[in-house]
Amino acid sequence: MQDFQHEKARLIMTLRGMGVVEAAVLSAIERVPRELFVPKALSQHAYENASLPIALEQTISQPYIVARMTAALELTGRERVLEIGTGSGYQTVILSFLCRRVYSIERLRPLLVEADNRFRKLRITNVTSKFGNGADGWPEGAPFDRVILTCAPAEIPATLLNQLKTGGIMVAPEGRAREQSLVVIRRTEEGFERQELLPVRFVPLVEG
Ligand code: SAH
């Protein structure tokens, strides 16, 4: 089996060159075999810094965006993280290396089944996933230390904001098709502090 060592090293250098400095994030990206998360026909492109199509018109995010979002969560290893939009499970696995447990929700069952197979194959034991509408969050598991959305709502649902702990951080794309921003929201005693990081293009969060 091809090990993609060279392609991997080049991707890490690219991300460093783009200003990703968080060593733990880079090493998580280095550890995850991204070729297992993309369609076989695209495995030669797995280590390009590009988003790629997966099944059912969804996409696996660009590594640079995965890196920026993961870094923005400021994980220390102790957090319980809620993820909306499991997709291929790539971002899920990156998170699983950097936090205590990931709770991931996906609304397209075939994608969830494939992602679960990947978690098993990679022997990831700190991911709990479920089929459902991410806009409802995961009330039984709330509140969470961190929340990450990998699909974009026009506006971040209040339900999800309410499932974030005080002191917690949420990272999400927000907005309609061509005008989304990646936002970082911190919940403080006083309320929610919001910061926009960069323009992005994610698939939409689909309700129901
Ligand atoms: N993080 C993923 C990116 C997947 S694309 C990866 O690394 O591969 C975003 C995903 O969000 C898609 O799989 C889509 O089906 C899912 N999604 C969209 N709306 C959703 C909703 N309301 N609840 C849960 N998942 C949703």
Side-chain angles (χ1 to χ4, degrees), residues 24-25 83 142 195:
V25 173
E83 178 188 44
Q195 183 196 351

Side-chain angles (χ1 to χ4, degrees), residues 129-185:
S129 64
K130 76 171 180 184
F131 169 69
N133 177 8
D136 299 334
W138 198 311
E140 316 86 276
F144 294 93
D145 302 293
R146 303 287 187 267
V147 177
I148 179 171
L149 277 65
T150 69
C151 45
E155 206 180 315
I156 295 170
T159 313
L160 293 180
L161 290 169
N162 290 331
Q163 290 183 16
L164 182 64
K165 262 187 205 167
T166 301
I169 304 174
M170 175 185 294
V171 176
E174 185 185 42
R176 299 193 189 273
R178 277 164 205 285
E179 30 193 299
Q180 300 167 4
S181 327
L182 193 59
V183 298
V184 179
I185 294 173

Side-chain angles (χ1 to χ4, degrees), residues 37 54 58-61 66 83-92 105-108 111 132-135 150-151 202-208:
F37 295 80
I54 53 174
Q58 304 304 317
T59 53
I60 176 170
S61 306
V66 172
E83 178 188 44
I84 311 303
T86 316
S88 69
Y90 178 72
Q91 171 79 73
T92 319
I105 310 178
E106 172 56 55
R107 67 178 284 276
L108 296 174
L111 294 183
N133 177 8
T150 69
C151 45
F202 275 80
V203 299
L205 181 146
V206 180
E207 293 270 354

